[in-house]
Amino acid sequence: MSKIKFWAITCVLAILVSCSQQKRYISYKVKEGETMRDIAERINVKTEDLERLNPDVGENPAANSTIVIPNPEFKKTIPLIQETDENKDKGTETDNTQDEPTTEVDEVKTAPDSTQIVRTVYEYKTHIVQPGETVYRLTKTYNISKSELIKLNPEFPKIKDNLLSVGQELKVKVAEKKVIYISREEDLKNHVTHTVKPKETIYSLTRFYNITKEELMNLNPEFPELKDNSLSIGQILRIRPLEEELTTDSSSIYIDTIAVTDPIKIAFLLPFKAREYDTIASEDIFDVRKSSRSARVANMVTDFYLGAEMALDSIKANGINVDVSVFDTGNRGKLVEKILEDDKLDDKDVIIGPFYSNQVEKVADDVNSPVVFPHFSKSQDEFSSSRIIKSAPDKETHSNFLIQYLNEIYNGETIFIVSDGKEQSNEQLEYLEKEFKKNDSIKNIFTLKPEKGYIKKERFTDNMKPNVHNWVILTSDIKSHIADAINSMVVLPEDVSAQVFTIDKTAAFDGINNNTLARIGFTFVTDNFSDENDSNLQSFIQKYRKRNKDVPTEYAIRGFDLTYDVLIRLASGEDLTDTYKEGVSMRLENKFDFSKKLFGSTSNKGLFIVRYNNDLTLERLK
C-alpha cells in the first residue's frame, strides 16, 4: 500500500522565536468525559484555537486519544494565534499543577525567517479497489465506519451511495500524524493565494472564489480578524490548496472606482413598441396565452428596463451623474434608422441595445461609442465591429467551460455524449468529442445519436461497467429526446451510477421534475446564478417589489446587473473596453469576464457550473 501525504490546515502563525530549546507543543491524553472546551479552559486557550490545532478531532474527543496542545511551560513570546490589539495585554498565565501533560511532540527547527506555521501532516494507509469489492466489505476489512471512510475520502462523494470504481485509491486509516513547522513563505507556495486590494471585502472574495467565509478563516488562522470581516490592503490570503487550483483562480477581481465628475451619457435602444400598443389593453400586451411571441418580447424588454432603472438609481446614489436617453426602436427595430439619421446617439458614452441582432452592426457602424448587445442571440457570432460588446456568452464558450471543468475533475469516468440527430446538436457532439480526446487520461468516450428517432437504454447500459461512474452529456434542446435520455439514467443497475450534464439548461428541461434532476445530479452551464442567502440580492428583490409590485424576473436582474456594471466601469474615467482588462466583476446574478478579439467584437466569458443536489438546492461548482 502506498502512503499519501497532504497538508491539513491546523493552526497558527508563530512569530519571533526566542525559546527554541523548549517544546512549543506537546501531546495530551484525553480523560474520560473531557471535551475540547474543558481542555481549552484548563490550559487557558480559546476552544476554537485548540480545535484548529487538532482539525481531525471533534468537540468530544475519545477517551485516551491523544491531541496536541500548547506547552504551558513555553514562554509566552509566541501566541497560539496572532493576538489582536484588544487582547495583547490580558495575559495567558496557566495553572500548571493540574493534569500536566507529559508526552512530547517531536520538535522541529525554527524556520529561517522566524515566522512559522504549525501544520499537521498525515500519512495514510490506502487501498486500491478491486473488482467485486464493496463499501461494506472495506469497512469490515479495515474496521472503520462508512462515515469515516467518506470523511477520509471527500474527493469520492459517490461512496455515500455505496459506489466504488475499480482502481480507486482510497484512504482507509491514518497511519501517522506529525506536527511540523514551516515558514509562512513556504506554506503560501502550497496554496492559491490572493493579495487584498483596496475596497475588497470578505463577501467579494468568497463569492469570487466560490468558498465560504469559514473555509477562508480556517485556511488563514493567523488572521483572526477575518471573523469580523476585516481585511488589510496587501494582506496575502490562502484561497485553496494548490492541488485544488481552478483555471478561474488566475483571474483578477475588478475593483469599482469612481473618478469622474462629468455626467455619463447612456442611451437605451429597446423595442417598447409604444405606437403599436397604444390602443391595446396592458393585460393583452403581456399575456403570453394570447400572443406568445409578442408577449414574451414585451415582458423581456419591460423587465430589462425596470431592472436598468434600479441600476440607475443605485449609480446615482453613489454620487455619479448620469444623463439617460431612452429610444423606442419600434416593431423589430424599424425605427433604428430614423434615430441614427437624426444623430441622436453621436454624443453618447455608451449605448445599450438595440435588442434585435440584425440592427446591432448598423448602430455600431454609425457611432463612436461602445454598443452593448443586452442578451444572447444565435446570430451574435456574426458580429464583427470592434465597438460591439456581447454581454452574453455564446454556445462555444459554454462548451469550452464545461470541457475545462470536466477535465479538471476527471477521475476515470466513462463519458457518453448524446445528440438528437439534428445538425446543431451533432456539431456540438463532434466538438465535445474532439476536445475530450485531447486529454490523454480519458480513455472511454461513446457518442450516441438516435436510431429510428430514439436511443435505446441498452446503448447506454451495455457500455456502463459496474462500479465505474458515468458522465452523460446532452447536446439536445428537444424535449422528447432529453426526457428519453434522462429516463434511461433514472433506473440503472444497482452497481452503476451516472451524472447528466448539458452545456445550457434551455426551456426544454423545464418539463423535467426537479426530483428527477436531483437524482441524476443534473449539472449545467449557465450565465447566471443567484445565492438566495445573498443579502445584496435580497435587498434588491425587496426594493424591486416595493417599486414595481412584482418580483424581479431573470431579465429584470440582468437589466440591473448589466447597466450597473457598464456605468460603474465608466465611472472609473477609463474607456469601457480598457476596464475589461483589469478584472472580472460579479453582480447580483451575472458575471462579466470580457475578452476582446484583436480585430473583432468583445465577448463575455462569465459562466457558472451549477448542480442539482438531493435536497433540490442548486450548488455552484465553479
Side-chain angles (χ1 to χ4, degrees):
M1 300 295 179
S2 64
K3 291 187 177 180
I4 302 172
K5 291 188 176 181
F6 81 101
W7 299 103
I9 300 302
T10 56
C11 129
V12 243
L13 181 67
I15 59 172
L16 202 61
V17 179
S18 61
C19 290
S20 59
Q21 289 78 13
Q22 291 180 308
K23 304 284 191 289
R24 293 172 180 78
Y25 297 92
I26 56 179
S27 59
Y28 173 77
K29 193 172 185 179
V30 178
K31 295 177 174 53
E32 184 73 36
E34 279 189 319
T35 66
M36 293 295 273
R37 180 187 295 274
D38 296 334
I39 299 168
E41 288 178 354
R42 176 172 298 130
I43 62 176
N44 198 22
V45 299
K46 294 181 179 178
T47 305
E48 62 187 42
D49 293 341
L50 190 59
E51 289 175 345
R52 287 182 188 179
L53 194 58
N54 298 272
D56 58 328
V57 179
E59 296 178 358
N60 299 291
N64 298 318
S65 62
T66 301
I67 64 172
V68 178
I69 68 170
N71 185 352
E73 292 297 325
F74 188 70
K75 293 184 179 179
K76 307 307 178 193
T77 54
I78 302 179
L80 177 60
I81 117 170
Q82 196 176 45
E83 295 177 329
T84 60
D85 291 338
E86 65 181 10
N87 64 21
K88 279 182 179 177
D89 299 324
K90 290 183 179 179
T92 55
E93 291 302 321
T94 306
D95 181 1
N96 301 321
T97 60
Q98 299 181 16
D99 304 315
E100 183 175 328
T102 56
T103 308
E104 298 178 343
V105 174
D106 292 341
E107 186 173 359
V108 182
K109 292 182 180 180
T110 304
D113 63 357
S114 297
T115 302
Q116 295 181 320
I117 298 292
V118 180
R119 295 283 182 207
T120 302
V121 179
Y122 296 91
E123 292 187 0
Y124 293 98
K125 182 175 183 179
T126 63
H127 176 88
I128 306 297
V129 177
Q130 303 300 315
E133 288 187 323
T134 64
V135 170
Y136 177 78
R137 182 188 295 182
L138 290 183
T139 58
K140 294 303 179 185
T141 299
Y142 293 102
N143 193 28
I144 58 174
S145 66
K146 179 180 175 180
S147 61
E148 288 172 327
L149 187 64
I150 292 171
K151 185 177 180 180
L152 285 169
N153 298 276
E155 67 271 34
F156 298 122
K158 289 296 178 180
I159 293 175
K160 67 182 179 184
D161 299 322
N162 297 316
L163 294 172
L164 300 175
S165 297
V166 175
Q168 266 181 335
E169 186 173 20
L170 301 179
K171 297 184 283 288
V172 293
K173 184 179 181 182
V174 177
E176 190 173 359
K177 172 181 172 182
K178 297 178 182 178
V179 175
I180 68 167
Y181 300 84
I182 62 172
S183 69
R184 184 169 192 268
E185 181 181 353
E186 287 299 314
D187 187 61
L188 290 174
K189 292 178 182 178
N190 296 323
H191 293 81
V192 175
T193 61
H194 178 89
T195 302
V196 177
K197 301 177 183 64
K199 297 186 178 180
E200 287 184 332
T201 64
I202 296 288
Y203 170 79
S204 67
L205 292 182
T206 55
R207 190 161 180 251
F208 183 81
Y209 289 110
N210 196 30
I211 59 176
T212 65
K213 178 180 175 180
E214 182 180 9
E215 288 171 335
L216 187 66
M217 290 171 57
N218 288 338
L219 282 168
N220 298 275
E222 67 268 38
F223 299 124
E225 64 270 23
L226 296 179
K227 183 177 181 179
D228 300 321
N229 298 314
S230 178
L231 294 174
S232 301
I233 296 172
Q235 201 170 24
I236 300 177
L237 300 174
R238 302 174 195 81
I239 299 301
R240 65 179 107 253
L242 203 57
E243 61 268 22
E244 298 175 13
E245 182 177 14
L246 302 174
T247 52
T248 49
D249 288 340
S250 59
S251 302
S252 300
I253 303 175
Y254 180 76
I255 306 299
D256 297 342
T257 304
I258 300 173
V260 299
T261 55
D262 294 334
I264 300 172
K265 298 179 179 180
I266 183 173
F268 291 90
L269 300 181
L270 298 172
F272 293 106
K273 301 200 293 186
R275 292 180 184 176
E276 289 86 342
Y277 292 146
D278 187 44
T279 58
I280 302 176
S282 61
E283 57 267 24
D284 294 331
I285 295 172
F286 299 106
D287 191 343
V288 294
R289 294 170 298 179
K290 296 182 178 180
S291 178
S292 58
R293 178 175 174 78
S294 178
R296 278 201 303 270
V297 173
N299 281 302
M300 288 163 59
V301 170
T302 305
D303 290 347
F304 181 89
Y305 187 67
L306 291 176
E309 283 187 321
M310 298 280 289
L312 293 169
D313 289 345
S314 295
I315 288 292
K316 292 174 182 177
N318 284 325
I320 302 169
N321 294 320
V322 185
D323 183 347
V324 184
S325 300
V326 182
F327 298 95
D328 184 355
T329 60
N331 188 26
R332 300 205 63 82
K334 66 180 182 180
L335 299 180
V336 168
E337 286 191 17
K338 181 69 168 82
I339 295 169
L340 295 175
E341 288 173 3
D342 293 342
D343 298 328
K344 293 183 178 180
L345 303 177
D346 288 355
D347 64 339
K348 304 307 176 189
D349 296 309
V350 65
I351 298 162
I352 295 182
F355 197 79
Y356 291 103
S357 59
N358 62 347
Q359 303 289 336
V360 177
E361 290 278 5
K362 187 183 299 182
V363 174
D365 291 342
D366 196 82
V367 300
N368 294 314
S369 52
V371 177
V372 182
F373 188 53
H375 62 110
F376 172 75
S377 168
K378 294 179 180 178
S379 302
Q380 68 181 40
D381 289 343
E382 300 172 10
F383 295 164
S384 59
S385 173
S386 60
R387 295 191 184 92
I388 296 175
I389 297 171
K390 297 183 286 189
S391 66
D394 56 36
K395 296 311 172 190
E396 184 176 334
T397 304
H398 279 242
S399 296
N400 289 335
F401 198 65
L402 180 61
I403 293 166
Q404 187 182 74
Y405 172 71
L406 293 180
N407 277 329
E408 288 172 349
I409 67 169
Y410 181 76
N411 191 37
E413 291 81 0
T414 299
I415 298 177
F416 294 82
I417 310 173
V418 186
S419 87
D420 56 26
K422 303 298 183 183
E423 181 180 1
Q424 182 180 350
S425 182
N426 286 342
E427 287 177 355
Q428 289 179 352
L429 176 148
E430 291 164 6
Y431 181 76
L432 290 168
E433 181 184 24
K434 180 188 71 174
E435 294 301 310
F436 280 127
K437 284 185 175 179
K438 292 179 181 179
N439 185 338
D440 294 336
S441 299
I442 299 177
K443 305 300 182 184
N444 296 315
I445 303 175
F446 297 93
T447 57
L448 303 182
K449 298 178 183 179
E451 295 177 355
K452 298 181 180 180
Y454 67 100
I455 299 175
K456 290 183 178 180
K457 179 180 177 181
E458 289 73 22
R459 293 179 64 193
F460 290 102
T461 55
D462 287 351
N463 293 300
M464 290 180 169
K465 297 178 181 179
N467 300 315
V468 176
H469 192 49
N470 301 277
W471 289 342
V472 178
I473 305 172
L474 306 181
T475 65
S476 175
D477 59 2
I478 298 176
K479 288 184 178 180
S480 58
H481 286 278
I482 291 171
D484 285 344
I486 289 178
N487 287 337
S488 295
M489 296 303 102
V490 171
V491 183
L492 291 172
E494 186 176 344
D495 56 356
V496 174
S497 65
Q499 182 177 359
V500 177
F501 297 82
T502 185
I503 64 169
D504 189 20
K505 184 177 179 290
T506 63
F509 288 88
D510 292 345
I512 309 296
N513 184 279
N514 285 343
N515 287 293
T516 300
L517 296 177
R519 287 179 63 184
I520 58 175
F522 181 61
T523 303
F524 58 98
V525 182
T526 177
D527 61 2
N528 65 86
F529 175 76
S530 60
D531 178 359
E532 294 180 355
N533 298 317
D534 182 353
S535 59
N536 290 334
L537 179 61
Q538 291 174 346
S539 175
F540 171 81
I541 293 173
Q542 185 178 16
K543 291 176 182 177
Y544 187 95
R545 294 185 68 168
K546 183 176 181 180
R547 177 171 179 161
N548 300 301
K549 312 302 180 188
D550 201 358
V551 294
T553 63
E554 179 182 312
Y555 258 84
I557 297 177
R558 180 164 186 79
F560 176 90
D561 283 353
L562 181 59
T563 304
Y564 187 91
D565 191 74
V566 165
L567 289 174
I568 199 68
R569 286 176 180 269
L570 286 172
S572 69
E574 298 183 48
D575 291 338
L576 184 58
T577 51
D578 286 341
T579 68
Y580 295 144
K581 302 172 187 176
E582 297 178 11
V584 178
S585 54
M586 295 182 66
R587 304 305 174 185
L588 295 177
E589 283 189 357
N590 295 272
K591 179 180 179 182
F592 299 107
D593 180 8
F594 289 96
S595 63
K596 188 181 187 306
K597 292 182 179 178
L598 186 59
F599 299 108
S601 58
T602 299
S603 303
N604 184 16
K605 301 182 297 179
L607 291 167
F608 305 96
I609 303 282
V610 177
R611 179 182 64 199
Y612 276 78
N613 290 326
N614 290 331
D615 60 1
L616 302 186
T617 59
L618 294 177
E619 179 183 0
R620 173 186 161 196
L621 302 178
K622 182 176 181 180

